[in-house]
Amino acid sequence: MRRKLFTLDRPAHKDRGHPPLVFVHGGYTHSGCWDVNFLPFFQERGYNCYAVDLSGHGKSSGIEKLNSFGLDDYAADVRELVASLDAAPVLIGHSMGAIVVQRYLEKSHAKAVVMMAPVPPTGLAAAGVQLAIRQPDFIAEASRAVRGEYTEKTIRVMREVYFSPDVSAEQFAVFQPMVQEESTWALTELMSLAMRMPVKRPRIPALVIGGQLDALFAANRLYMTATGWNAETCVIPRAGHMLMMDPQWPSVAQKIHDWLSLSFGLD
């Protein structure tokens, strides 16, 4: 049965003929994370922007069977959105969303791809062990966060894991209601990425960008993703995991804009 997908459609303020941008959120959140800073930024620079709620997330259907959705289902969501566009897009995926766009590109085409704070090809297991050592309370507090049961400790731990030390209380408060449950099946797949056979990747421009202070996926592991795509790699100083909402987001957005301009000779 076809799922009903919700997409934020944010047209360019002045269409300059740039390729459309398709934004794919990470786990435990929805498309609203892009709408705070990134979509207005790129609209102003002449891009038609689209941010999808993956199945079971945000305003898309399927929350009642969220745990049955896997990465291929999420890739199919992206494929459905791309099929509705007039031109091949640039895909911009964050965290789990970076894996989703990679899975999409196994069978479909895009003009370019940007992978922000990507889950490493080795999967979540190693990163989870390191996080458990640094933040032993994270699992318990994240469970409270997805239920909307924030305590002072929950706020502190979630801020430390997802953002840089520069995040304000007001900035974090915008993020709080965006946290939701994630599919157990998708998480299981992310745990076992290293066991999946390598696949042929399309030869398209690729950028891998991460935060210097990302507590989930260390910046020194970005090369693991970049190598397979022959991608340019960029580390944003003092940025945390939620690159599109972190106080350092202007540097992230500007880097992507500059890279797109250089890659495609845009104004």
Side-chain angles (χ1 to χ4, degrees), residues 35-102:
D35 211 22
V36 179
N37 302 310
F38 263 46
L39 301 190
F41 177 94
F42 286 101
Q43 282 181 280
E44 185 179 334
R45 287 154 181 78
Y47 292 92
N48 293 315
C49 300
Y50 307 86
V52 62
D53 278 344
L54 299 173
S55 291
H57 296 75
K59 296 180 181 179
S60 287
S61 66
I63 186 62
E64 72 284 350
K65 54 179 181 179
L66 174 65
N67 290 330
S68 68
F69 295 133
L71 298 176
D72 286 335
D73 296 302
Y74 295 158
D77 295 339
V78 176
R79 194 168 293 112
E80 181 176 329
L81 169 55
V82 171
S84 70
L85 305 180
D86 294 330
V90 174
L91 301 176
I92 302 176
H94 174 254
S95 195
M96 180 187 77
I99 299 297
V100 172
V101 298
Q102 291 179 53

Side-chain angles (χ1 to χ4, degrees), residues 207-225:
L207 172 66
V208 175
I209 186 166
Q212 178 192 18
L213 302 181
D214 190 331
L216 281 172
F217 308 126
N220 63 11
R221 297 195 171 208
L222 292 175
Y223 78 92
M224 295 181 177
T225 298

Side-chain angles (χ1 to χ4, degrees), residues 5-8 23-25 31 50-54 77-78 81:
L5 297 177
F6 174 80
T7 300
L8 290 172
F23 296 85
V24 183
H25 63 80
S31 64
Y50 307 86
V52 62
D53 278 344
L54 299 173
D77 295 339
V78 176
L81 169 55

